[in-house]
Amino acid sequence: MTFAFALDAPHSATLAEAKALVGGKAANLGAMSRELGLPVPPGFVITTATCRGYLADGWPARLDEELRDRMAAVEQVAGRRFGDPTDPLLVSVRSGAPISMPGMMDTILDLGVNDATEAGLGRATGDAAFARSCRERFEASFRSIVGVADVPDDPWRQLRLAIEAVFRSWNSDRAVAYRRKEGIADDLGTAVTVQAMVFGNRGATSATGVLFTRNPATGEPTLYGDVMFDAQGEDVVAGTHQTEPIGVLDDRLPAVGDELRDYAARLERHYADLCDIEFTIEQGRLWMLQVRVGKRSPQAALRIAVDMAEDETFPLTRAEAVERVAPLMAHPPTRSSAHRGDAQPMAVGLPASPGLAAGAIVTSPAAAMTAAEAGRAVILVRAETSPDDVHGMAKAAGILTSRGGLASHAAVVARGWGIPAVVGAADLVVRDGEVAVGHRILRAGDTITIDGSTGEIFAGTIAGTTEIVPEAKTLLDWAKELGIPIDGAREEGAVAAAAPRDPPATERPVTADACLRAIAIKGFAQVGGVADVVLSTPADVQPILDGLAADGLAAPAAGAYRLTEAGTMRAGVLLAEEQAAWGLDRAVTALDTFLELDQRMKDTVTAWQLRDAAAGVVNDHADADHDRAVLDRLAALHIDAVAWLTPLEPGCPRLAGYRIRLGRAVEAARAGDGRYVASPRVDSYHGIWFELHEDLIQLAGRNREDEVAAGRA
């Protein structure tokens, strides 16, 4: 068995197979070095299998010999020797799991420094202060990560202890918790990448930076990122250095700027996608430290897909571009403008989701589905929406409510789907089959127009233009031309199911009662949505739902499931049993204490979707600082929500599922997928939160309508 490979060693495997063997970091470093010839600091990687062996049986007997051989090869390329007091080679020791686990495991930099090598490094660089800084950084991280009071002098002993610490970090509490939330197997292990150090803190011509090959917020085809001069990577976290835009390289180090631009273009073509790159410049020499496919906003995803596919020299076909963004095209974004002339609105509400929509009034989600399936545009008019309404909302041309604010369920879901919506139109009284506006009665089937940009509501049809944004139109035209179906338009769970995802970790066996309770909360649930709730997979849940249907407890409808009368009765029995076991008083207290967190949640989601709530300015996610601040708020809220929720779980164990799902969503959002804040297309934080609120309302023996009327929902 080979324990370690050179970073540029060829693997007769796909990239995915290479990642399984040497981890994602080393696999991508190998691609840059071996396949593209980019400047990557020399190094080697200890395999994931070695980690698994170490965790099971301890340090392998032949690993020390391999480490010496691999280090000798690095020394030959670097021109320096590890532990040499004259001109020492320092190394970094980094984890590298097959599946990305950002921040979950440990890294040690500047390893190999002691009294003798510090002095040698100072003499070799002519900068004793720099050498001292390297030692201070190394010893602080080594003590913290390895867990020792004294750092050994022997560099080889330092290396072994650091490698063992990275191996052990695979089973750290935070790494285990992350894997449980993300459904990552516990038996993968982590690779360990050992690489020659390159230093961004060696003066004015040294720097460290991160960039995207295109703007990840807008898709603009220009380098996007930050650089810090005379700094190492951790200085970003410490806040001791001011970052500058990546374009400053063209003025301060133009040759490096040209080189970096060339490498970025080559990496884009190699991966056929937007790339996220980490780099260091040491005294004017550029080194590439990491590359991966970059996260991007939905707006950027559309533009990037079109731009790449339209470039005849770029290795992305139109079919591949369509398939890449198909989940975003289920309901393509539009822009609208009304030509109202002398028409006066009959009522005005809050402009919740921009766009102009005209259609026949329907007052139930079932009617919205029936009308939409018959090809008629409808406006779903409700007092306020709930999870029961989502399937009808997905089919509506527009949404109108008489209650609720800009953070209401109707507003958030409409914005997530790009459906025009007006909420909180207090002059409306919504009844079954009709809507009263003052003395005027409008009945189901009457046509109205809503302007989600102004909050105005008109009788009849108001002339206007609504057009799909150009990139979306281009992609839809390509899909039609190529015969690629864009499925699941706006249907709950459909887009989420289309997107690749790791299978979730099942916390307990999935039962028919658990699935039935999930449908009771959602009201109308697709297979993927039920699987999300019970922490399982659609494949495992489908036979259970088929069984519920066979038993007459659930009925399939439009590709989803709803409870029958018998199923509703069974759900009521299960609810009563939970109330009795937990205690109704405790359930009421839980709901009451939830409200403060709920208000914070509404404020956070509103800030994510609207840059200026008062003016109704939609957040186009072009301001990275704004989005980062909102995600920080979401993370802080999540910490408090977990602290509130965890003590409730012994009384009602089913609530633990919400904690797990919320954890997955916040991690996905902070990792760059903004859909997981509030999009109805995935199991988003807002969607899970709303279901938790609905569950608490039911457990407390209340109903949402009364809670909304009392200003509590």
Side-chain angles (χ1 to χ4, degrees):
M1 174 180 173
T2 300
F3 296 111
F5 294 91
L7 286 179
D8 58 359
H11 300 293
S12 55
T14 65
L15 181 60
E17 291 168 337
K19 288 181 178 180
L21 177 66
V22 299
K25 182 184 297 292
N28 286 322
L29 287 170
M32 284 197 291
S33 175
R34 181 181 62 254
E35 299 175 37
L36 297 176
L38 303 188
V40 172
F44 58 89
V45 57
I46 305 166
T47 67
T48 57
T50 307
C51 173
R52 296 193 296 270
Y54 169 82
L55 294 175
D57 302 315
W59 188 264
R62 292 187 295 105
L63 180 53
D64 288 307
E65 180 182 350
E66 281 203 32
L67 292 180
R68 298 269 178 174
D69 290 343
R70 297 301 173 198
M71 190 67 81
V74 174
E75 291 171 337
Q76 185 174 6
V77 175
R80 300 188 301 276
R81 290 190 300 115
F82 187 60
D84 179 12
T86 303
D87 187 10
L89 170 69
L90 303 187
V91 298
S92 62
V93 179
R94 291 183 169 93
S95 63
I99 298 173
S100 179
M101 295 173 56
M104 292 299 108
M105 291 173 293
D106 294 324
T107 294
I108 297 176
L109 304 180
D110 302 318
L111 186 142
V113 68
N114 56 24
D115 287 343
T117 57
E118 179 192 341
L121 183 64
R123 288 192 298 270
T125 61
D127 191 342
F130 161 73
R132 183 62 187 169
S133 173
C134 289
R135 185 171 188 178
E136 290 172 349
R137 291 172 187 266
F138 162 66
E139 291 187 343
S141 66
F142 191 91
R143 289 191 179 98
S144 172
I145 291 169
V146 178
V148 297
D150 298 317
V151 179
D153 288 333
D154 180 5
W156 289 101
R157 180 64 178 164
Q158 294 174 4
L159 180 61
R160 173 165 173 168
L161 291 177
I163 292 169
E164 289 183 303
V166 174
F167 282 160
R168 289 195 303 272
S169 72
W170 175 256
N171 285 331
S172 67
D173 290 344
R174 68 181 187 272
V176 170
Y178 184 90
R179 291 199 298 275
R180 184 172 296 119
K181 288 188 292 185
E182 294 299 309
I184 298 173
D186 285 328
D187 60 357
L188 299 179
T190 180
V192 180
T193 301
V194 180
Q195 227 174 342
M197 282 294 302
V198 289
F199 303 97
N201 56 334
R202 290 193 60 188
T205 59
S206 299
T208 186
V210 178
L211 68 85
F212 290 85
T213 53
R214 303 185 186 217
N215 188 315
T218 66
E220 183 182 0
T222 185
L223 295 189
Y224 178 95
D226 298 300
V227 63
M228 298 176 297
F229 287 89
D230 196 17
Q232 282 193 325
E234 66 253 37
D235 294 326
V236 179
V237 179
T240 55
H241 290 67
Q242 178 64 43
T243 63
E244 299 182 69
I246 199 72
V248 75
L249 285 175
D250 292 332
D251 296 324
R252 295 185 58 169
L253 297 171
V256 173
D258 290 343
E259 192 178 12
L260 189 59
R261 195 172 287 106
D262 173 56
Y263 295 167
R266 290 162 65 182
L267 284 167
E268 269 204 345
R269 278 165 170 73
H270 181 80
Y271 287 93
D273 209 340
L274 170 74
C275 290
D276 176 357
I277 297 168
E278 297 175 16
F279 65 91
T280 284
I281 305 164
E282 182 177 7
Q283 294 188 316
R285 184 175 182 182
L286 176 62
W287 294 96
M288 306 298 281
L289 301 184
Q290 175 64 294
V291 65
R292 56 196 159 214
V293 172
K295 305 291 186 182
R296 78 291 310 267
S297 72
Q299 173 186 348
L302 298 178
R303 177 169 180 179
I304 289 170
V306 170
D307 285 352
M308 288 182 173
E310 286 186 333
D311 181 349
E312 294 182 357
T313 69
F314 198 87
L316 185 73
T317 67
R318 291 186 174 188
E320 290 167 338
V322 171
E323 289 166 356
R324 177 175 292 177
V325 297
L328 301 176
M329 301 307 297
H331 181 64
T334 61
R335 54 193 183 197
S336 304
S337 59
H339 309 310
R340 52 182 290 178
D342 295 330
Q344 295 298 312
M346 61 178 178
V348 178
L350 299 174
S353 182
L356 192 70
I361 292 173
V362 293
T363 59
S364 73
M369 293 190 68
T370 300
E373 288 168 0
R376 300 195 305 273
V378 297
I379 307 297
L380 178 61
V381 187
R382 305 284 279 167
E384 168 61 302
T385 59
S386 75
D388 287 356
D389 299 325
V390 170
H391 59 295
M393 297 169 73
K395 296 294 188 181
I399 297 167
L400 171 62
T401 69
S402 61
R403 293 199 294 260
L406 294 177
S408 65
H409 176 262
V412 172
V413 171
R415 288 193 294 266
W417 267 325
I419 304 171
V422 174
V423 301
D427 291 338
L428 271 63
V429 177
V430 183
R431 297 190 282 260
D432 186 21
E434 67 179 28
V435 178
V437 186
H439 297 297
R440 184 172 189 170
I441 301 295
L442 299 171
R443 292 183 169 79
D446 291 346
T447 299
I448 60 172
T449 300
I450 63 171
D451 189 335
S453 301
T454 64
E456 294 174 312
I457 306 155
F458 300 90
T461 301
I462 297 298
T465 57
T466 299
E467 59 180 1
I468 297 173
V469 296
E471 295 86 358
K473 185 179 186 304
T474 297
L475 289 158
L476 286 172
D477 288 344
W478 290 352
K480 183 177 181 180
E481 174 187 333
L482 296 166
I484 300 173
I486 302 297
D487 296 326
R490 294 200 215 142
E491 291 181 8
E492 178 206 8
V495 179
R501 55 180 297 176
D502 295 325
T506 302
E507 301 296 312
R508 60 184 65 84
V510 181
T511 66
D513 282 347
C515 293
L516 188 142
R517 287 288 287 126
I519 302 172
I521 293 299
K522 285 181 169 288
F524 190 93
Q526 292 190 328
V527 177
V530 175
D532 286 332
V533 173
V534 299
L535 307 175
S536 186
T537 64
D540 288 340
V541 164
Q542 183 68 69
I544 299 174
L545 296 178
D546 291 342
L548 288 174
D551 292 340
L553 299 174
Y561 289 82
R562 59 174 176 79
L563 294 184
T564 62
E565 184 176 348
T568 301
M569 292 177 62
R570 174 60 183 163
V573 171
L574 295 173
L575 176 62
E577 290 174 352
E578 285 185 327
Q579 288 172 329
W582 191 13
L584 188 59
D585 289 345
R586 293 189 182 93
V588 169
T589 299
L591 176 59
D592 290 342
T593 56
F594 174 80
L595 297 179
E596 180 181 352
L597 291 169
D598 187 49
Q599 186 57 54
R600 287 173 58 190
M601 176 60 187
K602 291 176 180 177
D603 292 344
T604 302
V605 170
T606 301
W608 179 257
Q609 294 185 324
L610 299 176
R611 286 284 287 117
D612 185 340
V617 177
V618 174
N619 182 14
D620 61 4
H621 303 290
D623 186 340
D625 290 338
H626 174 84
D627 282 1
R628 189 179 303 114
V630 177
L631 290 174
D632 287 345
R633 286 169 59 183
L634 183 66
L637 168 67
H638 181 66
I639 291 171
D640 291 344
V642 169
W644 166 83
L645 186 55
T646 302
L648 303 180
E649 293 171 15
C652 187
R654 188 170 49 79
L655 297 179
Y658 289 107
R659 173 174 49 80
I660 294 167
R661 292 167 65 202
L662 290 169
R664 289 176 180 166
V666 76
E667 289 288 348
R670 287 176 65 80
D673 193 338
R675 297 177 304 163
Y676 281 87
V677 177
S679 173
R681 295 177 171 129
V682 296
D683 200 34
S684 68
Y685 205 93
H686 172 266
I688 300 162
W689 187 275
F690 196 82
E691 289 175 16
L692 171 59
H693 194 176
E694 183 69 22
D695 210 340
L696 291 170
I697 289 171
Q698 292 185 16
L699 287 164
R702 297 176 179 171
N703 64 69
R704 178 166 289 275
E705 185 176 35
D706 291 344
E707 291 291 289
V708 171
R712 294 163 48 92

